[in-house]
Amino acid sequence: MAPSPFTLRIAEPGDAAELLAIYAPYVRRTAVTYEYEVPSLTDFAGRIRKTLERYPYLAAERDGALAGYAYAGPLHHRAAYAWSAEVSIYVREDCRRGGLGRALYGALEELLSMQHIVNACACIACPEEEDEYLTRNSIGFHRRMGYRMVGEFHRCSYKFGRWYGMAWMEKHLGSHPDCPAPVIPFPDLGDAARQVCRRW
């Protein structure tokens, strides 16, 4: 059966409960995220609010409910890293493999480019061998989205009584000029950001 139509929009702190419901199973039942405890609603809303001060945070709606989200954050807090961002995505378990992830990342990358960010970097949980908690599906998704493997840390994380690794992947969103334009904070994109969401 074909997936139901979905729409993208900018997330709000008020979406925290629905987005946390998407994220919580990844914390409780997978090693996709290395958090041990599900964040509180207050903490999660604060994460959304903090992200939106400078970076995009997008939500996808399907059939009147939120089905996934993607956001960006600083690769590093030192000034020279300003033109690089770390990207993350989570899709509701029953909404995978329907094109929603591709749309979320497509819109996210377009918005980052509008901000003059030229590198998108993904930090991905990585198993030596796939198990019931972690596969290499996220690495495959990022490859299909044009990301390339940069490096891998082995057995650097421990969850569910097992050691897991962490992979870094990157995608160049544009050229690297000799004098890059200043990064535009996400709120300053205004209605142009909402137009990008509507296109996707």
Side-chain angles (χ1 to χ4, degrees), residues 54-68:
R54 189 161 182 84
Y55 296 96
Y57 201 127
L58 304 181
E61 291 185 358
R62 194 176 84 170
D63 297 331
L66 295 184

Side-chain angles (χ1 to χ4, degrees), residues 43-102:
D43 180 36
F44 204 78
R47 295 183 189 187
I48 297 170
R49 187 177 296 106
K50 181 67 175 176
T51 296
L52 287 169
E53 290 175 2
R54 189 161 182 84
Y55 296 96
Y57 201 127
L58 304 181
E61 291 185 358
R62 194 176 84 170
D63 297 331
L66 295 184
Y69 63 97
Y71 61 94
L75 177 63
H76 197 287
H77 290 284
R78 291 181 178 164
Y81 291 93
W83 293 269
S84 297
E86 183 180 347
V87 294
S88 298
I89 185 169
Y90 290 92
V91 174
R92 206 173 70 204
E93 291 174 299
D94 62 334
C95 295
R96 297 175 188 165
R97 297 180 177 84
L100 190 152
R102 178 173 291 276

Side-chain angles (χ1 to χ4, degrees), residues 130-167:
E130 295 186 349
D131 61 23
E132 67 270 33
Y133 300 117
L134 187 62
T135 69
R136 298 180 73 90
N137 287 348
S138 184
I139 291 173
F141 167 76
H142 283 83
R143 286 193 193 281
R144 291 190 295 275
M145 291 298 299
Y147 289 72
R148 70 178 187 92
M149 185 69 72
V150 176
E152 186 176 336
F153 292 100
H154 300 279
R155 297 192 170 199
C156 62
S157 304
Y158 184 80
K159 189 173 182 181
F160 301 129
R162 302 178 190 184
W163 288 100
Y164 294 102
M166 188 259 299

Side-chain angles (χ1 to χ4, degrees), residues 168-187:
W168 276 105
M169 300 183 75
E170 71 173 3
K171 181 177 182 177
H172 291 169
L173 304 178
S175 61
H176 291 72
D178 292 337
C179 295
V183 173
I184 301 171
F186 179 67

